[in-house]
Amino acid sequence: MDLLAVAGPALGDAATLILQPIVLAYLVGGVVMGLCIGVFPGLGGIAGLSLLLPFMFGMDPILGLALMIGMVAVVPTSDTFASVLMGIPGSSASQATVLDGFPLAKKGEAARALSAAFASSLFGGLVGAAFLTLFILVARPIVLEFRTPELLMITLFGLSMVGILAGRVAIKGLVAAGLGMMIGTIGEGDSAGELRMATYDIPYLIDGLKLVIVGLGIFAIPEIVALLRQDRAISDRAPLGGGWSTGVRDWFRNRWLSVRCSIIGVIVGVIPGLGGSVVDWIAYGHTVQTTPDKAKFGSGEIRGVIGPESSNNAKEGGGLVPTLLFGIPGSGSMAIFIGAIALLGSGQIEVGPSMIKNNLDVTYAIVWLLALANVVGTVICIAASGGIARLTTIPFALLAPFLFMIIAFAAFQSGQDIMDLVALFAIGLLGILMRRFDWSRPAFLIGFVLSNPAETYANQAVQIARSRFRKGFEEGIDYVFSPIVIVLVVITVISVIVGLRQAKTIMAEGAVQSGAKRAPMIFLLAILAYLLVAFTNASLIPDYAAADRVFPRFVSGVAIVGALILVVQMMLRPESHPLFADREAGNSENNKHGLWSTLAWFAGLLVLTALAGFIIALTLFLFLFIWRRAGRSPVFAALYTTAGLAFMCAMAWLLNRDFPAGLLQEAVKLPWPLG
Amino acid sequence: MNAIKTTRRVAMGLVAAAAATFATGATAGGHGIDLTGKTVEWVIPFSETGGSAKWANFYAPLLSEALPGQPTVVVKFMPGAGSTKGANWFQEQTYEDTQGTLIFGSSGSTQFPYLLGDPRVRYEYNDWNVVLASGTGGVAYLPPDLAAKMDGLDASGLRDTDFIYGSQGATRLDLVPLLAWEMLGLNVEPVFGIKGRGDGRLMFERGEANIDYQTSSSYLKGVTPLVEDGSAVPMMSWGALDADGNIVRDPTFPDMPTFKEVCEATDGCETSGDQWEAWKAFFVAGFPAQKMVFLPAGASNDAIVSYTKAFEEVKARADFAEISAKRLGKYPQMTGDEAAAALASATQVPDSAKAFVVNWLQERYGVSLN
């Protein structure tokens, strides 16, 4: 343990390294940028770091690190704003926060939700930094213990959270997760490169759908459309309400939950390849399981905010372990982080195994910076929240076009293809229908996120295990059933049993009235039809590429059986059964506008973009929407449009991004931003 | 085989190479182009994680300084379909529209689908204008207990071992190691579905994979520490090309035997015939000119000259040898005629080699490329 003897002085060196005014100034600069990026839905650490990348070359390493760590550390703090105030996941790390944070805002308790979230984020961030300090010394052997069977089990454990989020009808949740996994298999298979539900004629589908698009489509679009139809502000009460101190007290009362979820965050973050997008779900599932009274989840339970928010900041600390120690990024933003470190100075810092040997002081400086950034970020968030939270009192008709603009832009950045917008619209429609008929959207998203790791790890584990078994039965068993795997199996089984037993009491998305039989039945049959097509499509994959066939066939098979059971149940049960949940029934949400007329606005934006490019389409869309739909004067609409366009162009210019082009741009050469 | 004059000056080191090419390099053409106040977009058809990103991020700021008018050079990532998406996109861009503000960075993974006739490929290298070609190499390595089974250079002692190898796909650059191991008679089972060579190394470190290879820069960074602490032993490098197109020792790893040496020493492995020619053709396509910078179709001679000069200026920097050796390894960075020769050798393989590999992929891995 000579490392321990080295660690002490290195910690001290690191402290002197960062406690210089100039370093702290860069850190605060990074934090402010990170907060700004995090506030916007769909933009996260990847966009932020890409923005910094061009400035990193030759920069003093410690200054560059301060800037980058400041930015990465606080994105999961500020993305809470969008999740709580608008019901849109600010980034993939705070998808679960929406479930309870948004209902709290609707009830006028936004301040309480935000302060509890910030307290949890701060705490989680500090726990992450503390763990990183220890982990750096002991992590290497631990990370190497996670071989493919263990990774597969962690993935299955993540999937078992579907049980708790399935909603009132467990089989519906299962089918939703199955559908999510099937959507996740679209495109080129990882093992043999066979296409699933895609063709070379539509190149867009070959890579599959991106998480940004599915996340925005399944969560953000349905919420925006629903609010728009009700035609009022998000919260009709006092902007934030009081409750700042209530939120902090809420957090303190649940500090042990916060501790546990932070640890979950660190551990999931440490495991490379799993990515940060599941950590909030696992934390949410854990929170629900350990709460005695589950009735309030989905309609504003403060613990549902504290859990995920504690975990998502802690994750960044964990994610730095594989990044720094192995040079293997645990997430997209860490990947850019590695690239940026190589640019610092004259390249004297190299992430990877040599990092601890040669740059222990820098390594610990990163830890300190991480902790400090979390503190600074929380303080700024609390200071700025009054202003940001006033957004909730603006009539939603004024907010919605702006949000659609940002979402469309963010979605387009994932593939820089007009098809991104088509996919966003299609997934959005699916999300709207799932919301209407009370199909679990969290279950769908978990299925989607874990589809690829589940398939890849399963295929690899089977292949490696087969080779081990060839060498000897004992060696095979040792490989497949390591102690970690056994522990994970036990935890997963318990989680599923407990989850299913309790799921009925949790209305993850609020209570929903039941309506007539016809509409829910049609939706179910449509899902069944897709699953059958996907099953057939997978079955057609030839034998030599069997590795790409097994998973989609198995998953769609299970989902088809589930869907058939639902069909039978629907035929037998009366209309009042929860099976027939339908938000349109009896206009229970006080909608002032129809679904299709609301959607037509966005379909219009899409069609116009395809014809004339994004900026021209956006100009028309913003102006007409504010004038006709929101009922403001043309002058107001013109001002709104100008502000919106200026904002969009400034952002795209800063991030050096293009806008979707249409047929017009193919025919005529136009200057940026029109072309 | 095309005789390649690409790596003639390797042994003399980079500074000498740079100086020499500067003297003989492109001087034809007019006055060059002026990019003052412009932004040059360097499109990389991969994500921010890969080797191409490192390579472009290394060059971008240097190129910005060297181009006439010091334009801002930004690297833009356009990943998708193993780089064919970005390349297809670039094929549709014209110089007329971009006026020297657009360049494209291709890699071995862009070359292989092109060579193998992948149905997704809609790009044509011959339409583009190469202004830089960067080489690299690769090293295969083993765990110490298996490395001990090699008798000097003779690898036949490894034939009774079941090897597991974390692979990105048989039609990608992994084709070169997979074919090499098969020629040595090794029983290597590729486990597909890993997302990058870094994941393959981690699989090796976890003891799940027991053979692996890395390109030079990743080897220097990730595997050298493993070699130092005794958990990995280098097996062979793929080698480098000399002026006459012969495979010689890799200048970055002069103490390591090449695959050719190992093959010669191993019974049953031939360094002639269809199989060897196919391997060599794809090695040449994939490594000695792995990454290239292109101007789009129809680029003016002025633009080509300006970019060529800029890259030559970068290579002529006093600190270039030092900073590039660390980040890119000691490999030729070719411009002008050398780059053109490198491009030719990287994008043309004899029909017989192509037919052999297509057939081998079909029989061994069931990959059909039609």
Side-chain angles (χ1 to χ4, degrees):
Chain A
M1 280 279 96
D2 57 348
L3 262 178
L4 277 175
V6 189
L11 271 169
D13 290 349
T16 46
L17 210 52
I18 66 164
L19 287 177
Q20 310 167 43
I22 177 85
V23 176
L24 296 178
Y26 270 81
L27 181 75
V28 172
V31 167
V32 170
M33 281 197 260
L35 292 178
C36 295
I37 297 272
V39 165
F40 292 106
L43 294 179
I46 297 187
L49 283 175
S50 311
L51 177 63
L52 290 180
L53 207 51
F55 305 104
M56 285 299 139
F57 183 77
M59 196 187 247
D60 183 348
I62 194 71
L63 296 183
L65 282 172
L67 205 55
M68 288 193 292
I69 298 275
M71 168 166 280
V72 175
V74 298
V75 166
T77 308
S78 66
D79 63 4
T80 313
F81 280 118
S83 306
V84 170
L85 297 179
M86 299 170 200
I88 305 167
S91 74
S92 62
S94 62
Q95 290 158 347
T97 313
V98 175
L99 295 186
D100 281 298
F102 190 46
L104 278 168
K106 282 198 219 163
K107 282 201 267 175
E109 294 184 43
R112 179 179 167 214
L114 285 176
S115 63
F118 294 148
S120 311
S121 289
L122 173 61
F123 183 73
L126 293 178
V127 168
F131 256 76
L132 185 56
T133 311
L134 296 175
F135 249 66
I136 282 174
L137 294 173
V138 295
R140 220 183 136 71
I142 294 178
V143 175
L144 288 180
E145 279 304 306
F146 275 83
R147 294 164 310 161
T148 312
E150 285 83 2
L151 292 171
L152 178 62
M153 268 324 296
I154 287 270
T155 311
L156 293 181
F157 175 59
L159 274 176
S160 77
M161 292 301 156
V162 167
I164 198 93
L165 295 165
R168 286 183 294 176
V169 184
I171 299 180
K172 261 166 102 176
L174 184 78
V175 176
L179 184 65
M181 291 173 89
M182 289 311 293
I183 300 287
T185 62
I186 290 177
E188 199 179 28
D190 268 340
S191 298
E194 282 294 316
L195 294 184
R196 280 98 54 108
M197 295 302 282
T199 104
Y200 286 119
D201 297 328
I202 311 175
Y204 182 77
L205 286 177
I206 294 173
D207 277 337
L209 296 168
K210 300 285 185 302
L211 175 61
V212 176
I213 288 179
V214 174
L216 289 173
I218 218 80
F219 274 106
I221 290 191
E223 292 305 330
I224 296 178
V225 168
L227 279 167
L228 201 50
R229 294 177 59 197
Q230 294 163 25
D231 205 6
R232 58 182 183 88
I234 292 171
S235 163
D236 40 13
R237 312 215 178 160
L240 281 171
W244 281 103
S245 53
T246 323
V248 177
R249 259 181 277 133
D250 280 329
W251 167 76
F252 188 72
R253 224 178 299 125
N254 294 302
R255 57 192 177 278
W256 292 113
L257 173 72
S258 190
V259 170
R260 291 194 303 271
C261 288
S262 303
I263 294 172
I264 290 175
V266 173
I267 292 173
V268 174
V270 164
I271 301 162
L274 208 54
S277 355
V278 281
V279 59
D280 49 335
W281 293 118
I282 296 182
Y284 189 77
H286 170 80
T287 309
V288 175
Q289 280 166 359
T290 54
T291 305
D293 175 20
K294 298 175 182 25
K296 275 163 67 195
F297 279 102
S299 55
E301 165 68 56
I302 196 73
R303 282 169 69 91
V305 173
I306 293 172
E309 284 301 312
S310 304
S311 71
N312 65 11
N313 280 59
K315 169 203 91 194
E316 299 299 334
L320 279 168
V321 171
T323 309
L324 296 176
L325 265 59
F326 296 99
I328 289 166
S331 64
S333 49
M334 284 299 127
I336 305 182
F337 184 68
I338 292 180
I341 284 190
L343 296 179
L344 289 170
S346 48
Q348 67 263 47
I349 306 176
E350 270 187 30
V351 293
S354 59
M355 184 89 186
I356 296 183
K357 257 182 239 161
N358 307 337
N359 298 103
L360 196 61
D361 54 342
V362 175
T363 313
Y364 275 121
I366 291 175
V367 177
W368 287 114
L369 287 168
L370 186 68
L372 213 55
N374 271 293
V375 176
V376 176
T378 307
V379 171
I380 298 180
C381 270
I382 290 174
S385 58
I388 297 177
R390 228 164 271 144
L391 288 174
T392 52
T393 54
I394 299 174
F396 201 72
L398 293 183
L399 214 51
F402 187 76
L403 293 177
F404 261 97
M405 176 178 88
I406 305 239
I407 289 176
F409 178 70
F412 178 71
Q413 297 320 319
S414 73
Q416 284 149 46
D417 193 324
I418 187 86
M419 285 294 286
D420 285 326
L421 299 183
V422 178
L424 177 72
F425 190 80
I427 299 284
L429 192 59
L430 177 67
I432 288 169
L433 293 174
M434 288 183 77
R435 181 177 180 276
R436 171 173 170 183
F437 299 117
D438 198 30
W439 287 68
S440 171
R441 288 179 289 158
F444 176 90
L445 197 63
I446 294 182
F448 177 80
V449 167
L450 291 180
S451 175
N452 184 283
E455 174 172 19
T456 309
Y457 293 142
N459 277 336
Q460 293 181 346
V462 166
Q463 209 181 341
I464 298 172
R466 217 187 281 145
S467 154
R468 298 279 168 122
F469 274 114
R470 271 203 298 271
K471 278 184 212 163
F473 183 75
E474 211 165 300
E475 192 167 342
I477 289 290
D478 277 352
Y479 175 71
V480 179
F481 293 106
S482 73
I484 301 178
V485 169
I486 292 170
V487 170
L488 285 171
V489 168
V490 171
I491 295 176
T492 308
V493 169
I494 293 174
S495 151
V496 169
I497 293 171
V498 174
L500 283 180
R501 199 184 298 158
Q502 295 167 343
K504 290 192 176 56
T505 55
I506 304 158
M507 314 245 181
E509 298 174 64
V512 181
Q513 258 192 329
S514 294
K517 272 192 174 189
R518 204 166 71 127
M521 190 72 169
I522 293 175
F523 183 61
L524 172 65
L525 290 176
I527 289 180
L528 181 60
Y530 177 82
L531 289 170
L532 286 169
V533 172
F535 181 84
T536 319
N537 177 280
S539 302
L540 293 176
I541 293 175
D543 275 341
Y544 62 76
D548 283 345
R549 182 179 63 196
V550 177
F551 183 80
R553 210 155 63 148
F554 174 75
V555 172
S556 57
V558 171
I560 286 169
V561 171
L564 287 174
I565 294 175
L566 283 175
V567 171
V568 173
Q569 283 185 342
M570 278 197 176
M571 292 201 286
L572 299 177
R573 298 273 160 81
E575 285 188 353
S576 57
H577 194 270
L579 263 176
F580 299 105
D582 186 347
R583 280 175 203 265
E584 300 291 316
N587 198 12
S588 51
E589 294 193 315
N590 294 320
N591 291 325
K592 295 203 178 71
H593 298 275
L595 168 63
W596 301 108
S597 66
T598 308
L599 263 184
W601 279 100
F602 304 111
L605 174 64
L606 183 69
V607 172
L608 258 175
T609 305
L611 291 176
F614 189 57
I615 287 294
I616 293 174
L618 193 64
T619 314
L620 282 170
F621 169 77
L622 290 179
F623 183 77
L624 289 176
F625 191 97
I626 297 295
W627 182 32
R628 307 300 305 184
R629 175 73 187 250
R632 302 290 159 137
S633 69
V635 179
F636 183 91
L639 286 173
Y640 185 101
T641 308
T642 317
L645 286 177
F647 174 81
M648 195 78 273
C649 293
M651 189 131 117
W653 181 77
L654 270 176
L655 294 170
N656 183 41
R657 299 297 162 105
D658 287 334
F659 295 114
L663 289 176
L664 179 68
Q665 279 74 10
E666 272 176 32
V668 201
K669 172 98 183 125
L670 293 170
W672 194 90
L674 296 176
Chain B
M1 288 287 340
N2 309 310
I4 299 116
K5 295 183 176 162
T6 53
T7 52
R8 187 186 322 152
R9 301 180 186 84
V10 164
M12 286 187 268
L14 274 168
V15 179
T21 40
F22 194 56
T24 60
T27 44
H31 319 288
I33 51 171
D34 185 17
L35 293 165
T36 310
K38 301 263 177 65
T39 298
V40 172
E41 281 184 358
W42 187 345
V43 173
I44 294 293
F46 298 95
S47 74
E48 293 87 346
T49 45
S52 285
K54 281 182 201 151
W55 167 74
N57 282 333
F58 168 77
Y59 267 116
L62 305 174
L63 181 63
S64 169
E65 279 175 38
L67 277 172
Q70 281 83 46
T72 316
V73 177
V74 291
V75 180
K76 208 165 183 178
F77 300 98
M78 196 184 281
S83 88
T84 49
K85 180 186 160 192
N88 285 339
W89 174 86
F90 183 70
Q91 180 69 28
E92 287 171 20
Q93 310 305 310
T94 60
Y95 180 79
E96 213 185 350
D97 288 343
T98 53
Q99 294 296 326
T101 57
L102 175 72
I103 51 177
F104 180 74
S106 79
S107 173
S109 312
T110 327
Q111 270 135 245
F112 276 28
Y114 172 83
L115 290 174
L116 292 169
D118 188 302
R120 279 167 291 176
V121 170
R122 299 194 185 127
Y123 47 90
E124 176 52 58
Y125 272 95
N126 294 328
D127 292 348
W128 305 344
N129 303 286
V130 66
V131 289
L132 176 79
S134 296
T136 185
V139 178
Y141 57 98
L142 294 166
D145 56 324
L146 292 177
K149 288 190 178 180
M150 278 184 69
D151 179 15
L153 292 178
D154 184 355
S156 46
L158 293 168
R159 284 183 184 159
D160 56 357
T161 308
D162 279 334
F163 284 102
I164 292 274
Y165 166 62
S167 169
Q168 287 166 279
T171 59
R172 309 284 157 85
L173 274 178
D174 284 357
L175 190 158
V176 170
L178 285 171
L179 187 53
W181 291 325
E182 178 158 308
M183 287 165 73
L184 292 173
L186 307 189
N187 178 22
V188 178
E189 190 176 351
V191 172
F192 294 118
I194 64 163
K195 298 282 184 291
R197 287 253 46 89
D199 288 344
R201 192 191 80 222
L202 195 55
M203 213 179 221
F204 178 90
E205 285 192 62
R206 292 196 300 249
E208 289 184 297
N210 50 5
I211 193 163
D212 192 39
Y213 111 91
Q214 299 286 330
T215 53
S216 300
S217 55
S218 334
Y219 180 87
L220 289 171
K221 213 173 100 180
V223 185
T224 310
L226 300 181
V227 173
E228 280 165 5
D229 72 20
S231 51
V233 176
M235 180 190 184
M236 58 195 177
S237 77
W238 305 136
L241 288 180
D242 71 3
D244 304 321
N246 297 313
I247 290 183
V248 294
R249 287 208 169 182
D250 187 322
T252 314
F253 308 103
D255 301 330
M256 242 180 250
T258 63
F259 166 57
K260 193 179 179 194
E261 294 170 52
V262 174
C263 185
E264 275 163 355
T266 305
D267 200 29
C269 187
E270 301 287 340
T271 53
S272 60
D274 284 352
Q275 206 177 19
W276 169 257
E277 291 303 331
W279 180 85
K280 190 173 166 189
F282 277 87
F283 160 70
V284 170
F287 290 90
Q290 190 178 67
K291 301 191 195 304
M292 289 182 266
V293 180
F294 292 98
L295 279 162
S300 69
N301 200 31
D302 285 354
I304 299 171
V305 169
S306 292
Y307 270 94
T308 303
K309 266 194 182 149
F311 276 114
E312 279 167 2
E313 234 171 82
V314 170
K315 293 197 305 182
R317 283 170 69 111
D319 59 349
F320 185 78
E322 190 200 340
I323 56 179
S324 75
K326 223 179 235 167
R327 305 263 300 273
L328 306 175
K330 289 180 204 159
Y331 293 99
Q333 311 293 325
M334 296 160 275
T335 48
D337 293 344
E338 282 195 322
L343 171 66
S345 70
T347 53
Q348 292 165 11
V349 294
D351 287 343
S352 58
K354 182 186 162 185
F356 177 89
V357 167
V358 168
N359 184 44
W360 174 70
L361 286 170
Q362 173 76 51
E363 279 183 2
R364 181 79 169 74
Y365 300 108
V367 179
S368 139
L369 286 158
N370 299 310

